[in-house]
Amino acid sequence: MNVLIRMNLIEPLVEEIRQVDEKVRVIRVDSEEEALAVMPEIEVVCGEITRALFARRRKLAWIQSWGAGVDGLLYPELVESDVVLCSAKGYVGVHLADHAMALLLALTRGIHTAIRNPSWDPRWSIRDASWELVDRTMGIVGLGGTGRELARRAVAFGMRVVAVDPEDVEVPDEVEACWGMDRFHALLEQSDVVAVCAPLTAETEGLFDREAFARMPEHALLINVTRGRIVDEAALLEALEGKGIGGAGLDVVPQEPLPGDHPLWKMDNLVITPHTAGGSPNRDGRCVALFCENLRRYLDGRPLTSVIDKRKGY
């Protein structure tokens, strides 16, 4: 069975994949051209796959994406095919949640202001504007792996946590309640911090519109570490410029890369990181472990884990 590795993995991790079963033949290529040449004989792809590669498939049965979000992969040919798509959902929540907390603390402790003003002058204004997380409410939009990990961290800081999710998901002890999306606005109204932990789908694109920001308290903070286009750019600018919300911490933005002259860079109530929340020295190891587990399941004819419903997008 030919497995095409489309990730830059260190050799020990590649060897882990080889050791799953002697029937597994790992193929690594250095270019798209080489990938196109071998694609007709490939049964499993580990990593990303372009439309051109997908069009060359003959034996392809399963794709294991390295990311949790798969919105960039859901072109019509793949969605309509019988090819199974799995992602890393449930395996990237640790570092995304860490990053979300970093953005939140940067805002609540005035770090964003201190960095912009490298002197002792803003000392008292920073102290006056700082606030604690104890007894504050965090509203989490999307209670998947990232949402659950973030809830654990929020509770450790003394926060109350509520959530919304379109699915009937298992609710961890840290979350007081998880409602359907029909209570999205109710969540916004009671949250001091709103954290976007959802995938980008047709239903979530532009979810944070003018009405959503109007529902948030004026002091509330928005944190987004999943997909930028879940937030409407014009509505976000209006909310930040008009102080309709207290501020935002964004690792993802509606336009990526964000142009150097974009007004978001100039907002004093905003902290931005350039889509770096996915970085972790442990990520590849976790994802290889997931892929190896799925590879064993595939060879045994058992159901795979972290399977994407291609029509829902998650």
Side-chain angles (χ1 to χ4, degrees):
M1 182 184 70
N2 291 326
V3 175
L4 177 63
I5 305 296
R6 295 278 288 166
M7 299 299 301
N8 185 23
L9 297 177
I10 61 174
E11 186 58 31
L13 292 178
V14 177
E15 187 59 27
E16 281 189 36
I17 297 171
R18 292 192 184 101
Q19 292 301 317
V20 168
D21 193 285
E22 62 182 11
K23 294 192 292 289
V24 174
R25 178 179 176 232
V26 172
I27 297 176
R28 305 176 78 183
V29 295
D30 296 322
S31 67
E32 181 78 359
E33 290 71 23
E34 289 181 28
L36 287 167
V38 301
M39 191 62 206
E41 300 306 314
I42 298 300
E43 191 170 341
V44 177
V45 170
C46 178
E48 305 309 306
I49 180 169
T50 62
R51 293 180 82 165
L53 279 177
F54 190 76
R56 293 270 296 165
R57 75 192 187 281
R58 290 180 188 167
K59 301 178 180 179
L60 184 64
W62 160 40
I63 301 166
Q64 179 72 55
S65 171
W66 220 240
V70 295
D71 44 282
L73 283 174
L74 294 176
Y75 36 84
E77 305 95 304
L78 175 54
V79 173
E80 298 298 330
S81 75
D82 293 331
V83 175
V84 176
L85 175 63
C86 297
S87 80
K89 62 179 179 178
Y91 285 77
V92 298
V94 172
H95 44 275
L96 292 184
D98 281 357
H99 201 94
M101 290 303 300
L103 293 171
L104 176 56
L105 291 168
L107 292 166
T108 59
R109 304 310 304 168
I111 296 169
H112 65 310
T113 302
I115 289 173
R116 287 189 172 97
N117 301 276
S119 75
W120 230 242
D121 295 340
R123 176 186 178 190
W124 291 106
S125 61
I126 289 174
R127 288 173 69 124
D128 290 343
S130 296
W131 43 284
E132 296 179 354
L133 297 179
V134 173
D135 295 329
R136 300 280 186 165
T137 295
M138 176 180 283
I140 295 177
V141 180
L143 197 57
T146 300
R148 291 193 297 272
E149 289 288 345
L150 183 55
R152 291 176 56 196
R153 288 153 178 75
V155 167
F157 276 83
M159 301 187 77
R160 166 183 177 251
V161 180
V162 292
V164 290
D165 196 283
E167 303 291 334
D168 185 16
V169 297
E170 182 179 350
V171 181
D173 293 340
E174 292 87 356
V175 178
E176 181 179 301
C178 181
W179 306 306
M181 293 304 295
D182 59 316
R183 296 194 62 182
F184 172 59
H185 285 163
L187 175 136
L188 298 180
E189 291 167 352
Q190 63 184 276
S191 297
D192 301 292
V193 178
V194 179
V196 182
C197 299
L200 178 64
T201 67
E203 288 71 32
T204 62
E205 185 164 7
L207 179 66
F208 282 80
D209 54 13
R210 289 182 175 88
E211 174 65 16
F213 285 117
R215 298 282 186 146
M216 293 172 62
E218 289 187 358
H219 69 275
L221 303 174
L222 175 72
I223 306 295
N224 189 1
V225 292
T226 51
R227 287 292 186 265
R229 282 165 37 212
I230 294 174
V231 179
D232 179 84
E233 183 177 285
L236 173 65
L237 284 167
E238 288 179 13
L240 291 170
E241 287 174 338
K243 309 299 182 183
I245 62 172
L250 308 175
D251 184 58
V252 289
V253 289
Q255 298 182 57
E256 293 188 15
L258 193 64
D261 60 351
H262 197 282
L264 282 176
W265 289 120
K266 302 172 185 176
M267 301 285 180
D268 60 7
N269 54 350
L270 175 67
V271 58
I272 301 176
T273 51
H275 206 143
T276 56
S280 167
N282 301 319
R283 178 171 183 163
D284 283 351
R286 290 193 188 105
C287 289
V288 165
L290 167 63
F291 179 61
C292 289
E293 171 61 22
N294 266 344
L295 195 52
R296 294 183 190 96
R297 288 169 175 257
Y298 179 78
L299 292 168
D300 293 342
R302 292 181 288 140
L304 305 184
T305 189
S306 297
V307 175
I308 294 293
D309 183 323
K310 294 183 290 185
R311 297 197 180 277
K312 289 183 178 179
Y314 56 87

